[in-house]
Amino acid sequence: MKVVVIMRRSAPLMHIAVCALGAIYLIFASLMLYNWIITVFFPTAKLLYSICGVFIPPDPGSAVVLATTGMLLAGSVYYHYDRYKFISCVLVGSLLGSAILVLQLLTVIANAIDAQILMLYGEIVEYGLKEEIMRPDVLLGIPSAIVLYNSVRELRKQW
Amino acid sequence: MPLSFAPEGHLVRVVCIRAGRGLSRRLIEMGIAPGKVLRVVRTLGAGPVIIEVCGDKSKSVSDRCNLCCASCGNRIVIGFGTAMKILVEEVARRE
Amino acid sequence: MSELSKAKHNRIKIALAGTPNVGKSVIFNNLTGGRAWVGNWPGTTVEKKVGKMRIDRQDAEVIDLPGIYSLTAYSLDELIARNAIIEEKPDVVVNILNASNIERSLYLTISLLEMGANVVVALNMIDIARERGYEIDVRKLRELLGVPVVPTIAIKGVGIDELKEEIKKACRGRKTPELIINYGDEVEREIEKIISVLEKDPALIKKYNKRWLAIKLLEKDEDVIERVRKSQVASMILKQVEKSIKTLEEALGRDIEEYIAEKRYEYAFRISNECVKVVREVPQTPSDIIDFAITHKVFGIPIILSILYMAFKFAFDVATPLVDLIDWFFAAFLYDIVKSSTLPEVVKSFLADGVITGIGSILVFLPNIVFLFIFISLLEDLGYMARAAFIIDKIMHRLGLTGKSIIPLIIGIGCNVPAIIATRAIEDENDRNVTALVNPLVSCSARLPVYLVIAAAFFVAYRGVVVLSMYLLGMLLAIMMALLLRKCVFRGPSTGFIMELPPYMTPLPKNVLIKTWERTKRFLFKAGTVILLATVLVWALSVTGPSGYIGTEALEDPTLLEKSWVGVIGKTMQPLFYPMGWDWRAIAALFFGFMAKEIVVSTMAVLYGAAGEEELPKMLSMAFTPLSAYAYMAFVLIYVPCLATLAALRGELGLKYAILALIYEILLAYLVALAIICIGIPLGLK
């Protein structure tokens, strides 16, 4: 009930977009967590491998980060009445989302370099580049980075 | 009331400090002494507090503190145990 | 006196003093070009940083004093700073102030001036003050303090040249007039009385500033009292002091120490009031805005967990190529070079199987440690650590600790040694002791090699979870032991903590790297000496035995190996570990792990005849079962702090507590390993 009231009272486009992004984060986070629980406790059950081309790795740590980002972004609507509090949540949330994007990209690069190095051993290692990139943390990180850029600009403007 | 129970965003004045010699001295050096006005920046309920030291002019505290708090930058984190030993009273309503 | 010692005696000394978070290290680096020699203040484990600076074609010594708020005798850091000024008699004390927080910084300045030090003030961070909307009247400040004041922005290098000029000028001639704070007629009267008694001992007056002595005596300063006791007229002085204190406390109706501190603070406040002008009103700084979400009741802890996860991911996943590179370098490249050389067999084995294998298996983890330290240093410089302490404080309180304890525990994930040294920042003695004693239970990076190797051997699919479970187990045990120790051994209410909350600042790459390097240096030092010696020792004990030299074939042949010293040690202790089902080689590895836990891996590599990280898991899977391997991991987690950690414990807490840590950890380790086996077998997890 409360959510509907808030949105009816003052719903600039930015607020809704951010909230939606947060919700998507939360959804993917729970999917990743679900996959992880299955791999650890029910190894024989089937995994939810991918949805619409987006792979869902059973990574609990990443799930925590995504969940936190989702909470911050979606929760920012709760403070829609106070400019500073709203920007705070959005800023920190998008910062986390962008950070994990960067981190995941670094990991991909590291794995690529690693494969080259392992060749010195005469070892050929295969790694799924597609699986490493088409992940929620990477894909969602892009809109996150955009949000980050915008909120930092907002902050600078009035200060 | 102890500082750890002070409501967020409010201004409080230090009434007394129930601590040993070393701790009291430490607090005074940080600017927390009986009569000083503090702003409770953040509090997680009954727990640690982040405060801002505002000086000790008790008259027209509200306007002075608006300026002072803005440019003071005197933010201090006070742990739970210590915050329980600092007794304060409310001064004015803010926010 | 020889020319050299004469030159040493006349060497100019400069001390840097200031509150924490004021930019002291940056200015230190600016003055000395980053060249510093790090040691310890004599008799303590507090770090002493000394550098060199050129003044008038002479080399001057620059000493970085610990960050302090005042010069009382209550805290170790303050005592060290004070004694450094009294004993080493620096020619100039550069006092670094935080322009955006002048009041607090001025308290220290006033204390320094009362001591009679030759002060030059560096007013740092004026850019931040300007951002906050206020200007500082530097000329007025100079006038009120009576010392040169140089505005600086240390991070950008602004004002450093002028600062160097003022330091040079101050070295040539002392111009600081004595600072006299009027403490009120009654107090001043007593000060005069005490001074007149002090003057009876000319040696005392010569060494110290007499007004400072008198004031400190009134403040019941224990260190000063000790110094005065050495005087011939000690009893007269102390009697007068006692009388004065009594008179004043009656007249003022309150504790004289508090009164004096308050008067000093008022003086600082008055000066700051006269010099600071509010020019622009600013609603809230960006730091405050960010802080809202970070210190949020609901979001705070998930954010901490997220950051922790990212730290681990950065330290392990991103560092992998470097790890593999180092592994290849040692285990394949160098190893093959030595083995195919024409050196005598023993020397070849010594180098290849002993030195290279041993060192290689440790350095392999260097990238992980460095990356972790980089992340932690980044967080520190950013200013996040203080917020983390704030958020965690409440939970910590239920464990009987304070929020400040979280910082050493996080550092402990990198290495226990700097973590234990970091506990010094915790004021309450009980909290500090418990945090330090419990710290070895936090999985340090040295244990990681053992986990990774065993996990690779037995739990390939669940590798991440298994390693994570070790960290969690460590944390769980740390919490349990903290509660236990707090309730039984270190009783007493927790004093809580007070910490300044610095504004968020963009971490400078240079500073982060310097910090990381200083911490990594310690690890490398350990690797370079203890581990190298230990590895060689293990190798030596493997190729010799009670019956004399066995030969390097022992490393390939298990039956020969059994006859070596290592075999003897392992076999002797084997019965103790019967229920765990570990063979004598694993036990021997544990034995040597006492020196440094990284040794466990290298010892196992030598003992199981593995040529590198790749082979070891294979060898291990033949000697353990998954259950016994898991129990082994737990044992390595908990048993006995490594030699370096023990040394740190002894340095910080004293021999008694270091031994306590040793004993409780061995017992706990044995119990837990036993428990794991006992729980595992009925569950059918063989």
Side-chain angles (χ1 to χ4, degrees):
Chain A
M1 257 286 99
K2 193 168 190 186
V3 179
V4 177
V5 171
I6 287 178
M7 290 180 83
R8 220 189 301 152
R9 227 189 285 169
S10 63
L13 194 57
M14 165 95 143
H15 285 47
I16 303 183
V18 163
C19 189
L21 186 60
I24 302 180
Y25 261 104
L26 285 171
I27 296 176
F28 274 105
S30 15
L31 287 176
M32 286 173 78
L33 212 58
Y34 171 76
N35 266 350
W36 179 69
I37 293 181
I38 291 188
T39 26
V40 173
F41 295 106
F42 309 102
T44 48
K46 209 173 71 156
L47 286 176
L48 213 65
Y49 204 57
S50 72
I51 285 190
C52 328
V54 181
F55 293 102
I56 311 222
D59 188 344
S62 212
V64 167
V65 180
L66 292 184
T68 313
T69 311
M71 273 202 295
L72 279 164
L73 288 176
S76 66
V77 216
Y78 187 67
Y79 296 107
H80 72 284
Y81 52 83
D82 183 328
R83 188 145 175 266
Y84 292 122
K85 293 188 181 170
F86 175 77
I87 271 211
S88 180
C89 296
V90 171
L91 194 73
V92 177
S94 56
L95 189 63
L96 269 180
S98 315
I100 193 95
L101 162 68
V102 170
L103 209 54
Q104 183 61 23
L105 289 178
L106 282 176
T107 310
V108 169
I109 297 176
N111 283 340
I113 301 179
D114 196 39
Q116 296 300 309
I117 292 182
L118 286 179
M119 292 224 281
L120 290 169
Y121 262 123
E123 248 187 70
I124 312 276
V125 175
E126 286 200 19
Y127 60 95
L129 187 66
K130 199 151 163 254
E131 276 169 359
E132 288 297 308
I133 293 202
M134 302 296 285
R135 280 168 58 124
D137 17 14
V138 176
L139 295 176
L140 289 180
I142 300 176
S144 215
I146 299 176
V147 172
L148 179 65
Y149 177 71
N150 277 323
S151 19
V152 172
R153 227 177 42 178
E154 267 298 308
L155 201 62
R156 292 227 147 153
K157 226 192 317 176
Q158 59 87 42
W159 197 70
Chain B
M1 74 186 122
L3 184 56
S4 42
F5 291 121
E8 194 170 299
H10 289 201
L11 287 170
V12 292
R13 185 183 301 119
V14 179
V15 171
C16 82
I17 302 179
R18 285 206 196 122
R21 227 166 45 162
L23 192 56
S24 307
R25 210 200 150 117
R26 215 350 58 113
L27 287 170
I28 293 179
E29 282 162 9
M30 289 276 191
I32 302 170
K36 293 269 196 270
V37 174
L38 314 168
R39 186 164 81 105
V40 179
V41 175
R42 209 98 175 84
T43 173
L44 301 175
V49 206
I50 300 182
I51 56 143
E52 195 155 359
V53 178
C54 271
D56 56 355
K57 302 284 187 290
S58 30
K59 302 185 196 105
S60 59
V61 147
S62 6
D63 350 296
R64 183 175 200 257
C65 264
N66 199 16
L67 286 174
C68 143
C69 289
S71 24
C72 252
N74 274 15
R75 298 275 168 114
I76 304 176
V77 180
I78 301 190
F80 194 13
T82 317
M84 289 297 281
K85 295 187 183 146
I86 304 174
L87 299 180
V88 299
E89 65 182 1
E90 280 211 47
V91 171
R93 295 224 146 230
R94 276 247 143 230
E95 236 154 29
Chain C
M1 221 190 275
S2 71
E3 271 301 309
L4 194 61
S5 60
K6 206 176 189 184
K8 224 176 170 214
H9 261 273
N10 291 341
R11 192 191 267 193
I12 300 178
K13 291 204 195 136
I14 299 173
L16 293 187
T19 56
N21 298 324
V22 96
K24 211 156 35 83
S25 334
V26 185
I27 291 195
F28 182 84
N29 290 339
N30 275 326
L31 292 178
T32 62
R35 298 167 287 146
W37 170 80
V38 178
N40 279 356
W41 291 94
T44 72
T45 48
V46 182
E47 205 176 71
K48 177 179 184 181
K49 230 165 52 174
V50 180
K52 280 208 275 265
M53 172 182 160
R54 239 162 149 72
I55 295 190
D56 289 343
R57 284 192 273 132
Q58 235 194 359
D59 264 343
E61 207 176 76
V62 181
I63 308 173
D64 188 14
L65 299 179
I68 46 179
Y69 286 103
S70 67
L71 295 170
T72 61
Y74 279 126
S75 127
L76 183 61
D77 284 349
E78 291 171 4
L79 258 180
I80 287 177
R82 219 164 71 161
N83 290 342
I85 298 180
I86 297 178
E87 309 292 345
E88 301 213 30
K89 295 207 209 307
D91 300 81
V92 179
V93 174
V94 179
N95 181 214
I96 302 160
L97 302 187
N98 182 344
S100 57
N101 197 341
I102 275 207
E103 239 162 77
R104 179 109 36 84
S105 305
L106 276 178
Y107 190 91
L108 179 63
T109 316
I110 291 177
S111 305
L112 283 169
L113 290 172
E114 268 194 328
M115 258 184 96
N118 188 13
V119 175
V120 167
V121 167
L123 191 62
N124 200 21
M125 302 198 202
I126 49 168
D127 51 344
I128 297 185
R130 252 175 235 146
E131 269 174 34
R132 295 260 170 85
Y134 59 134
E135 286 289 323
I136 304 184
D137 191 344
V138 176
R139 207 173 326 155
K140 195 84 197 277
L141 192 58
R142 227 185 289 236
E143 202 185 293
L144 287 172
L145 289 178
V147 294
V149 176
V150 181
T152 60
I153 308 176
I155 302 184
K156 302 204 182 111
V158 172
I160 299 294
D161 294 319
E162 291 89 339
L163 183 63
K164 285 189 185 160
E165 265 312 303
E166 288 296 338
I167 295 178
K168 288 184 189 166
K169 272 201 252 171
C171 285
R172 291 182 209 135
R174 212 211 133 99
K175 275 203 268 165
T176 314
E178 209 175 292
L179 180 83
I180 309 226
I181 303 178
N182 187 324
Y183 285 104
D185 292 324
E186 303 101 340
V187 179
E188 292 297 328
R189 245 191 315 247
E190 300 302 321
I191 293 180
E192 285 303 310
K193 286 194 200 152
I194 297 178
I195 290 185
S196 55
V197 181
L198 285 172
E199 283 175 335
K200 301 217 167 87
D201 182 349
L204 211 58
I205 298 292
K206 194 157 170 239
K207 186 163 191 206
Y208 309 105
N209 177 308
K210 53 191 177 186
R211 192 180 154 84
W212 180 72
L213 271 188
I215 297 176
K216 283 295 168 209
L217 285 169
L218 279 179
E219 286 186 272
K220 306 175 197 151
D221 188 297
E222 295 189 2
D223 179 66
V224 171
I225 293 179
E226 270 311 303
R227 289 173 185 270
V228 165
R229 267 195 234 275
K230 299 197 186 116
S231 156
Q232 305 147 307
V233 289
S235 47
M236 251 206 308
I237 300 175
L238 293 174
K239 233 170 83 176
Q240 174 61 53
V241 172
E242 216 184 295
K243 222 170 66 167
S244 299
I245 293 182
K246 195 152 173 258
T247 319
L248 286 173
E249 286 189 342
E250 266 174 36
L252 298 168
R254 57 188 290 205
D255 191 28
I256 184 71
E257 219 184 311
E258 263 179 44
Y259 175 78
I260 292 184
E262 206 175 276
K263 271 272 173 292
R264 230 181 252 134
Y265 190 82
E266 261 175 44
Y267 197 77
F269 191 69
R270 233 181 308 143
I271 295 184
S272 78
N273 255 5
E274 294 206 36
C275 302
V276 176
K277 274 191 285 273
V278 179
V279 161
R280 174 168 64 116
E281 190 183 316
V282 168
Q284 262 185 313
T285 62
S287 282
D288 308 332
I289 298 181
I290 299 177
D291 267 340
F292 174 73
I294 295 208
T295 54
H296 195 273
K297 210 183 306 202
V298 175
F299 301 136
I301 297 198
I303 293 180
I304 292 186
L305 293 175
S306 305
I307 292 187
L308 217 63
Y309 169 73
M310 292 201 284
F312 274 88
K313 196 168 165 79
F314 183 65
F316 297 122
D317 287 348
V318 179
T320 329
L322 288 173
V323 167
D324 285 334
L325 188 65
I326 293 185
D327 184 50
W328 169 82
F329 183 72
F330 279 90
F333 189 64
L334 281 184
Y335 190 84
D336 288 339
I337 288 185
V338 173
K339 278 284 166 146
S340 53
S341 72
T342 53
L343 297 163
E345 190 61 39
V346 182
V347 178
K348 262 207 275 188
S349 177
F350 171 72
L351 283 177
D353 300 307
V355 176
I356 294 180
T357 310
I359 296 285
S361 51
I362 304 320
L363 284 187
V364 139
F365 296 98
L366 185 69
N368 293 329
I369 295 173
V370 171
F371 274 54
L372 190 63
F373 279 147
I374 288 180
F375 202 87
I376 294 181
S377 306
L378 215 75
L379 284 181
E380 276 180 351
D381 278 358
L382 194 61
Y384 179 72
M385 285 303 191
R387 276 92 183 162
F390 169 72
I391 301 170
I392 288 275
D393 184 61
K394 199 160 173 197
I395 301 179
M396 283 281 163
H397 215 96
R398 290 216 201 108
L399 303 175
L401 293 174
T402 62
K404 248 185 179 166
S405 304
I406 192 75
I407 302 176
L409 291 175
I410 293 183
I411 300 181
I413 298 184
C415 179
N416 287 138
V417 178
I420 291 182
I421 294 182
T423 59
R424 200 192 312 131
I426 303 175
E427 290 105 355
D428 184 70
E429 198 182 317
N430 285 334
D431 288 335
R432 193 189 324 140
N433 290 345
V434 172
T435 314
L437 279 178
V438 148
N439 209 290
L441 289 174
V442 173
S443 244
C444 76
S445 51
R447 282 163 256 198
L448 190 62
V450 182
Y451 304 159
L452 286 178
V453 160
I454 294 186
F458 296 99
F459 307 103
V460 184
Y462 295 101
R463 212 161 53 140
V465 185
V466 165
V467 176
L468 188 66
S469 72
M470 280 292 121
Y471 280 85
L472 291 176
L473 181 64
M475 263 171 240
L476 205 71
L477 287 172
I479 293 176
M480 261 175 38
M481 286 309 295
L483 278 168
L484 199 68
L485 285 173
R486 213 49 176 79
K487 293 259 164 72
C488 308
V489 182
F490 297 96
R491 269 174 277 180
S494 175
T495 346
F497 70 96
I498 316 165
M499 197 164 55
E500 211 181 320
L501 205 70
Y504 287 109
M505 291 190 271
T506 19
L508 281 177
K510 190 171 79 160
N511 291 340
V512 171
L513 288 175
I514 292 182
K515 248 197 209 182
T516 307
W517 171 239
E518 282 184 2
R519 286 188 171 135
T520 319
K521 238 189 335 193
R522 251 184 272 248
F523 172 75
L524 278 180
F525 182 73
K526 206 167 50 141
T529 55
V530 176
I531 297 179
L532 175 59
L533 289 173
T535 313
V536 169
L537 183 67
V538 170
W539 177 85
L541 289 179
S542 322
V543 299
T544 57
S547 50
Y549 178 71
I550 300 182
T552 56
E553 302 81 42
L555 293 171
E556 322 270 306
D557 187 348
T559 46
L560 277 182
L561 198 56
E562 281 187 49
K563 299 204 197 99
S564 70
W565 282 113
V566 173
V568 169
I569 293 173
K571 291 241 146 128
T572 325
M573 297 208 284
Q574 195 169 354
L576 277 176
F577 296 96
Y578 179 68
M580 272 72 109
W582 299 334
D583 77 354
W584 62 268
R585 276 176 285 198
I587 296 169
L590 285 178
F591 179 74
F592 289 104
F594 171 60
M595 288 183 264
K597 296 213 177 164
E598 296 96 320
I599 303 271
V600 176
V601 169
S602 57
T603 310
M604 288 206 285
V606 170
L607 293 181
Y608 285 101
E613 200 190 278
E614 300 297 309
E615 266 195 40
L616 190 54
K618 207 178 5 162
M619 308 304 238
L620 285 179
S621 52
M622 300 192 279
F624 289 89
T625 67
L627 186 62
S628 64
Y630 193 77
Y632 191 77
M633 276 203 290
F635 196 85
V636 171
L637 166 68
I638 309 166
Y639 89 124
V640 150
C642 72
L643 208 60
T645 312
L646 262 183
L649 277 173
R650 176 162 175 261
E652 292 294 320
L653 304 179
L655 191 61
K656 188 172 69 164
Y657 290 128
I659 296 184
L660 174 69
L662 194 70
I663 296 178
Y664 98 75
E665 285 193 27
I666 296 186
L667 290 175
L668 189 62
Y670 195 80
L671 283 171
V672 172
L674 206 58
I676 292 179
I677 302 277
C678 293
I679 298 178
I681 292 189
L683 285 182
L685 296 169
K686 277 284 324 222

